[in-house]
Amino acid sequence: ELAVPIMRGERVLGVLDAQSTHFDAYDEDDVFILQTFAGQMAVALENARLFGEAQQHAAELGALRQVGLRLSSTVDLKAGLDIIVESALHLVNASGAHIYLYDEEAQKLAFSAALWAGSGRTLAGAQPCFDALAAQVARERRPIAINDIALHPLYLEGAIPDGLPAIAGLPMLLGGRLLGVLGVAFLQPHVFTEDEVRTLSLLADQAVLNIERAQLFDELTHRINQLSSLYQMAQQTTSTLSLQSVLELIVAELGKVISCRAICIFLLDEQTEELWIAAASGLKPEFRDRTRIKIGEGVSGIVFQKLCPIYIRNIPEEAPDLHTDPSIRSLLVVPLIAKSRIIGTLSVDSTAVDAFAASDEHLLTIVAAQAASAIENAQLYEEEKRRAEELRRAYEELKELDRLKSQFVQNISHELRTPLTFIKGYVELFLDEALGPITDRQRQSLEIVGRKTEAITRLVNDIITLQEIEALPLKKAVISLRDLLKMVAASAEATAMNVGIALQASIPDAPMWVLADDDRLIQVFDNLIGNAIKFSPHGGTIAIRAYSQDDQWVVAVQDNGIGIPSDQLDRIFERFYQVDGSSTRRFGGTGLGLAIAKEIVIAHQGRIWAESVLGEGSTFYVSLPQYAAEEGNKSSEDGA
């Protein structure tokens, strides 16, 4: 018998054995030949093994690729984990597979997904072997395969489930951070191979990618929802200026993107210097009504004072003396600042410890800035609306007072007319000595009484004229402004000559048609020319000009008299207004002439204004709408 080893390097793969019925049948050549065959067989066996491994690896990679394709079709975490446990079951022909996810904040594992050969997707009964192995894998951050669970140190003193001899666990790691544990179990004896552990490790990596993708998708969705809510909030808060509507919109939109127990908006009561709840959700009405916080007290009071956010992650531990609802565990408060002025605070709370992430604080800060601006705009609008209402009421009161004043003045004016007529008549009788002879001194006194009576009579007539302009309709007709101005200028020429003033008129030859009450317009231009004569020095000149401008006839009456201060040009058209006392005493007048002229011009849809240089003279302008020539001719012919 001749036997030679089949070796590949230092590793024995088997034995090649030759036997013969003869003694001493083999020589050294036979040994060489047999060793050669053994060497060739070792190469063939190694190639077959490598080919088998390559096929197996190709199959594993193909299977893992299919798993990857299936996972890429979903961003739902639960659906992805179900695919992972299903794939683990088939890739290693296991009896069951399960996944625990790791809660980093709580630092513990929580069961997430499972699948058994019978298609059950729940963890079969209370299986301490899963919990113990998963915890060990989480601590050591490495794969652990147990071929015989009954002999493993983890289960020497613990309960071992019947019919579950082999189990393995693999960590799901993302850059050194534990996301969870993938486990498989066999209901029959099984020895885990390196290939199986490698395949399960690759599957655990797929699970990590799926979890990361799902978390990123959830975070992206959450961010989109936040941005959408911010956009909706901005759009809705700018569409209304009602303060309460703005507050309710902010609370409602914020509740959609932040998971919390309650949301509160505190605003400052400037009279009491306290914060009060202007809007809230998730809060008991009685608590809302009685809550008043002084500046510097409580969390909101401190935030208001220090102008910075405060986050209490665990109230019982960090702020046990805080007076709040006993169920609250975490509280986040940010200031409401509008244009560098704090107007209140915005707070959210939760019954969970450390319920709010950094992204929540960031979002709340953005919402607070947006809300503060909207609230301030609403407050300004409410204040302006209140002031507008006060002004409206004041205006109505002033209108009523003006009406009563006008009625009173009108009544007094009418009542004065009769006695003034009698006084004037008797003065004239005395002056004519119809009632007997009078002395020179008596005549002088009666002439003074007559002049003063004339002045009072003019004042009364002016007041009555103002009332008539406001109350009675004008008797309008199509007239020639050219003819009216020439007539007024001719009437004033004699008066001007008597006081040594030259009157110059520059009036177009065109008829200058206007729709007007000619008596009232004569009153306007008589007044303007009369004022020009009264305030012009001896030897002065008064110029009357008329011209067309922008479908208007403009008439200018210019003098070189004392002039009017620029700051009083707008006031000279007010009733009873005099430029100064000295002018009144020197030149006389009631202060109603220009007011009457303005009322008449406005009633003709025109405009009156003045330009002046103090000490050099003044120019008064009257602008009246032009009337079409053909309409003017037709009306003139009809009138004739």
Side-chain angles (χ1 to χ4, degrees), residues 192-255:
F192 289 96
T193 65
E194 292 182 4
D195 291 340
E196 289 176 334
V197 174
R198 185 182 63 252
T199 298
L200 291 172
S201 295
L202 292 174
L203 194 59
D205 292 340
Q206 292 274 26
V208 167
L209 294 176
N210 174 70
I211 293 171
E212 184 183 26
R213 184 167 59 247
Q215 289 175 342
L216 289 174
F217 178 77
D218 289 343
E219 184 178 350
L220 180 61
T221 302
H222 184 60
R223 291 289 178 87
I224 291 173
N225 290 337
Q226 287 180 341
L227 291 174
S228 177
S229 292
L230 287 173
Y231 174 75
Q232 291 293 330
M233 189 184 303
Q235 197 173 43
Q236 293 180 25
T237 52
T238 53
S239 66
T240 178
L241 287 173
S242 167
L243 179 58
Q244 197 56 42
S245 297
V246 168
L247 294 172
E248 290 173 358
L249 280 170
I250 293 168
V251 170
E253 289 298 325
L254 190 57

Side-chain angles (χ1 to χ4, degrees), residues 421-636:
T421 301
F422 280 107
I423 292 171
K424 182 179 179 182
Y426 276 105
V427 168
E428 291 174 352
L429 288 175
F430 278 119
L431 288 173
D432 293 340
E433 297 185 353
L435 300 178
I438 57 175
T439 65
D440 291 341
R441 186 175 179 182
Q442 288 172 334
R443 180 176 295 281
Q444 291 174 358
S445 299
L446 287 170
E447 287 176 350
I448 292 172
V449 172
R451 287 197 297 273
K452 296 301 180 183
T453 302
E454 286 290 342
I456 296 173
T457 301
R458 286 196 300 274
L459 174 60
V460 169
N461 288 335
D462 285 344
I463 292 172
I464 292 173
T465 299
L466 274 174
Q467 301 300 324
E468 289 176 348
I469 293 171
E470 294 175 352
L472 300 176
L474 297 177
K475 298 176 182 178
K476 290 184 180 181
V478 179
I479 64 170
S480 169
L481 186 58
R482 176 199 61 189
D483 297 343
L484 184 144
L485 289 173
K486 285 184 177 182
M487 180 185 66
V488 171
S491 301
E493 191 170 6
T495 304
M497 289 178 62
N498 290 335
V499 293
I501 294 173
L503 193 64
Q504 299 175 353
S506 176
I507 302 170
D509 293 332
M512 299 172 61
W513 300 115
V514 293
L515 183 63
D517 185 325
D518 54 352
D519 288 337
R520 293 300 186 190
L521 285 189
I522 290 171
Q523 191 175 358
V524 170
F525 294 116
D526 277 344
N527 183 284
L528 294 180
I529 296 172
N531 279 348
I533 293 171
K534 182 167 61 175
F535 290 104
S536 293
H538 183 78
T541 302
I542 296 173
I544 303 171
R545 294 179 290 114
Y547 54 91
S548 174
Q549 180 177 315
D550 299 330
D551 297 326
Q552 300 278 316
W553 292 117
V554 182
V555 180
V557 179
Q558 182 178 9
D559 64 61
N560 49 14
I562 61 174
I564 303 167
S566 59
D567 60 343
Q568 299 187 43
L569 284 174
D570 291 334
R571 299 199 62 192
I572 58 176
F573 295 99
E574 296 177 6
R575 298 179 184 186
F576 301 105
Y577 183 77
Q578 297 282 357
V579 173
D580 59 50
S582 62
S583 294
T584 305
R585 289 191 296 270
R586 179 183 171 191
F587 298 102
T590 64
L592 286 174
L594 290 177
I596 292 172
K598 180 179 179 180
E599 293 293 337
I600 293 173
V601 171
I602 290 174
H604 285 81
Q605 288 78 48
R607 178 172 169 250
I608 184 171
W609 70 99
E611 296 175 357
S612 181
V613 177
L614 197 62
E616 296 183 11
S618 305
T619 303
F620 283 79
Y621 296 90
V622 174
S623 173
L624 296 170
Q626 294 180 2
Y627 201 78
E630 59 274 11
E631 295 180 8
N633 290 331
K634 182 177 183 300
S635 299
S636 179

